[in-house]
Amino acid sequence: MTERGLASWSDGQTARERVRAIATTLTQPRSVDWVRDEAQVSSWQTAKDELEMLAEFGQVQIVDGDDGSPKYAPNYQQRYFTELTELINDHTREELREEVATVQAQIDDWKTAFDVESRDELEVTLTDDALSSDEIRERNRVLRRWEHTEENKRLLKHALELYKDSRQSAPGHRSRG
């Protein structure tokens, strides 16, 4: 990424805001130095202090790095609950139900296309000697997408299960479908 490209996302942000922006989008454990570099922050201490504060508030978690030094990792549990809350607050029950149907249609298409009943069954076909390397790669791509799609379906299921209780307990929210 060019310097100009980096500047565009960080214009008007303080060093701490840049650290937060990077840290809250982590996909794997990272060191203070890595976050500091990505956030374009000159002070190691500023980056470390902000990361520790984010860990204290549960935004990230501190894990042991391979070299024994602490690294900062995503808090997947919090991300899950945030996504769940956003689904409940931003969509009606009907919209969530329709998305479940859309997701299931995609899974059904894969089952039909590969003549399997499950993702696990598709995975077993990878060792079929009759498949070309391109066919194996395509099945691997579908397996990754299928896994992600099942995770989305699980999230939608939880949102529907919690919808009524969550909407009733949230101040200022009227029930929407």
Side-chain angles (χ1 to χ4, degrees):
M1 190 175 253
T2 65
E3 287 297 317
R4 194 180 104 174
L6 283 174
S8 65
W9 78 266
S10 63
D11 283 348
Q13 292 184 336
T14 68
R16 289 183 180 277
E17 288 170 335
R18 292 192 308 274
V19 169
R20 278 193 301 272
I22 296 297
T24 56
T25 58
L26 290 173
T27 58
Q28 62 184 325
R30 298 294 188 169
S31 68
V32 173
D33 283 330
W34 187 91
V35 173
R36 182 186 61 77
D37 287 343
E38 290 295 308
Q40 299 177 314
V41 174
S42 59
S43 169
W44 183 88
Q45 192 62 50
T46 298
K48 183 176 187 325
D49 290 348
E50 192 63 22
L51 287 166
E52 287 178 353
M53 190 264 320
L54 290 169
E56 185 178 323
F57 287 108
Q59 299 286 315
V60 296
Q61 46 191 340
I62 301 173
V63 297
D64 290 329
D66 295 338
D67 59 359
S69 63
K71 291 195 174 193
Y72 297 84
N75 183 336
Y76 294 110
Q77 185 179 44
Q78 182 183 11
R79 284 188 185 177
Y80 186 83
F81 287 122
T82 298
E83 287 181 44
L84 191 61
T85 301
E86 288 173 359
L87 282 173
I88 291 168
N89 289 339
D90 297 345
H91 301 281
T92 65
R93 275 186 148 171
E94 187 55 41
E95 289 170 336
L96 295 175
R97 289 181 192 131
E98 185 56 38
E99 187 59 24
V100 170
T102 300
V103 165
Q104 187 59 50
Q106 178 63 70
I107 292 170
D108 291 344
D109 288 348
W110 289 322
K111 286 178 178 181
T112 301
F114 295 101
D115 193 27
V116 296
E117 291 301 315
S118 69
R119 184 171 46 92
D120 290 338
E121 198 175 311
L122 178 59
E123 189 169 36
V124 169
T125 69
L126 293 176
T127 58
D128 185 343
D129 291 334
L131 295 177
S132 70
S133 61
D134 287 339
E135 290 170 318
I136 292 170
R137 284 186 188 93
E138 174 60 19
R139 288 173 188 234
N140 275 322
R141 280 190 290 277
V142 168
L143 281 166
R144 286 189 300 273
R145 289 180 54 212
W146 194 333
E147 183 176 20
H148 181 71
T149 301
E150 285 177 341
E151 289 170 7
N152 286 341
K153 185 178 175 186
R154 190 171 26 258
L155 183 65
L156 288 162
K157 176 186 177 216
H158 289 151
L160 282 167
E161 288 170 349
L162 296 171
Y163 195 90
K164 184 177 179 182
D165 291 338
S166 176
R167 300 294 286 174
Q168 287 177 344
S169 64
H173 281 101
R174 291 182 291 159
S175 183
R176 294 179 16 182

